[in-house]
Amino acid sequence: MKKGKKLYEGKAKIIYASPEKNSVIQHFKDDATAYNNQKKATIEGKGILNNRISEHILSSLSEIGIKNHLIKRLNMREQLVEFLDIIPIEFVIRNIATGSLTKRVGIEEGTILDFPLIEYCLKDDKLGDPIISQEHILNFKWLKKIEIDLINEQCLRINDFLQGMFKGIGIKLVDFKVEFGKTKSDEKIILADEISPDTCRLWDSKTDKKLDKDRFRNDLGEIIEGYQEVARRLGILHEQSNIRPIKFSKPTAVKIKKNK
Ligand code: TMP
């Protein structure tokens, strides 16, 4: 499929116009950023893995009736997705306390939460994506109450499904971030963006080894190997010949280029 012009470039993805109506092409880059863009690197092969992992997860969610923007994967790095008006809020769902939660409220790292905690962050890099409450969302008319309720319900269903899926392959779903958008035609709210080791915290069930972007954030090394391990356990590494360029069995072949 022939790509149209670049519509938007984010930290880890680019959105291009598509020749098909009501759709755009989502391109997964190898770039990684953390701490509000202060830390940057290129992690060779990350985009390919995230494209495949996110395709697998969003297709599985579709099968249980969670509508989302994925139409089809086009190639190693690209997906055809529905063109949405993205809601400017990140929805974070947590099962185990870590990351910004532990820093913000002083709760001990690794505390298992009594029930899933949903947090809302305003998507605004200049402001550092601040945490906001439902009252902010209502007051500033980013969403209606009925829409927040619908999204919360979807977040809990997604969490339930993903927790089970990952448990089955020996991984704890610690937390994750999702985004939603409204369809252009009838303003229906559906899941957007990606679900991948860039947007989830995934710990090995036995050892608590981190298999996600925290390997980059916290300089733990073997970043791509963590992502590969997730893909391998999901059973999607060997299916496609077009992701062969990454040498999965030889971690030494992976280069991490530090940007200036
Ligand atoms: P946090 O502990 O840094 O707030 O992150 C919570 C979860 O949300 C974690 O799985 C990482 C994910 N996340 C993103 O995907 N993008 C972001 O910009 C941030 C801040 C977090």
Side-chain angles (χ1 to χ4, degrees):
M1 180 176 291
K2 203 169 172 294
K3 277 203 289 269
K5 68 171 184 193
K6 192 197 278 189
L7 301 177
Y8 169 81
E9 178 153 8
K11 287 172 270 185
K13 293 190 290 292
I14 306 173
I15 302 295
Y16 294 97
S18 124
E20 285 186 20
K21 209 174 158 236
N22 289 334
S23 66
V24 287
I25 293 170
Q26 177 167 257
H27 175 104
F28 288 76
K29 299 195 282 184
D30 284 343
D31 297 351
T33 64
Y35 308 116
N36 201 19
N37 251 334
Q38 290 175 50
K39 182 172 177 167
K40 291 184 192 177
T42 302
I43 302 163
E44 223 170 86
K46 178 176 79 78
I48 297 173
L49 287 159
N50 280 352
N51 183 20
R52 286 293 282 116
I53 293 170
S54 192
E55 177 207 12
H56 178 84
I57 292 177
L58 265 57
S59 307
S60 307
L61 287 171
S62 242
E63 281 169 22
I64 60 150
I66 310 257
K67 294 207 165 35
N68 61 69
H69 73 160
L70 179 70
I71 300 170
K72 62 178 175 185
R73 186 167 63 84
L74 296 171
N75 54 49
M76 279 211 301
R77 286 189 184 271
E78 287 165 347
Q79 301 175 347
L80 185 68
V81 299
E82 200 165 339
F83 191 23
L84 303 174
D85 287 320
I86 296 293
I87 295 163
I89 296 165
E90 295 186 339
F91 299 82
V92 173
I93 300 91
R94 302 179 185 271
N95 299 306
I96 299 175
T98 188
S100 68
L101 176 66
T102 52
K103 293 193 190 94
R104 212 180 322 118
V105 298
I107 191 167
E108 197 183 336
E109 164 93 15
T111 306
I112 295 170
L113 304 176
D114 283 349
F115 51 88
L117 178 66
I118 304 182
E119 293 177 339
Y120 315 99
C121 297
L122 183 64
K123 261 170 75 80
D124 189 325
D125 283 344
K126 281 194 217 111
L127 299 176
D129 295 345
I131 187 160
I132 51 172
S133 67
Q134 283 211 25
E135 281 66 27
H136 289 98
I137 300 175
L138 294 171
N139 220 310
F140 302 123
K141 299 187 176 50
W142 288 316
L143 287 170
K144 298 187 188 108
K145 179 75 173 80
I146 192 172
E147 293 173 326
I148 302 178
D149 290 345
L150 182 139
I151 292 177
N152 283 347
E153 195 190 310
Q154 296 255 308
C155 286
L156 294 178
R157 280 195 69 204
I158 295 167
N159 185 47
D160 238 34
F161 176 79
L162 292 187
Q163 265 193 313
M165 186 189 84
F166 281 120
K167 196 172 181 183
I169 54 171
I171 291 175
K172 289 184 209 169
L173 177 63
V174 175
D175 58 32
F176 64 101
K177 183 265 306 183
V178 278
E179 295 183 26
F180 291 82
K182 290 184 179 176
T183 55
K184 300 271 179 193
S185 51
D186 54 1
E187 296 199 353
K188 206 161 172 283
I189 293 178
I190 62 171
L191 178 67
D193 195 49
E194 69 177 299
I195 301 182
S196 72
D198 264 12
T199 61
C200 301
R201 285 201 176 93
L202 303 167
W203 295 355
D204 179 83
S205 300
K206 284 200 190 119
T207 63
D208 280 352
K209 181 176 174 180
K210 293 172 171 47
L211 302 171
D212 57 69
K213 197 174 152 188
D214 269 358
R215 301 206 69 79
F216 166 68
R217 292 188 189 97
N218 305 334
D219 294 322
L220 299 175
E222 299 185 329
I223 306 165
I224 208 75
E225 289 79 357
Y227 286 52
Q228 287 169 353
E229 181 63 19
V230 174
R232 191 186 61 75
R233 291 196 201 179
L234 286 170
I236 56 180
L237 265 194
H238 45 80
E239 282 172 17
Q240 296 291 326
S241 57
N242 59 5
I243 54 173
R244 267 188 209 141
I246 301 178
K247 297 197 172 93
F248 297 108
S249 55
K250 289 186 187 161
T252 48
V254 174
K255 279 181 263 161
I256 298 168
K257 286 183 244 155
K258 291 254 184 218
N259 288 350
K260 279 179 205 149

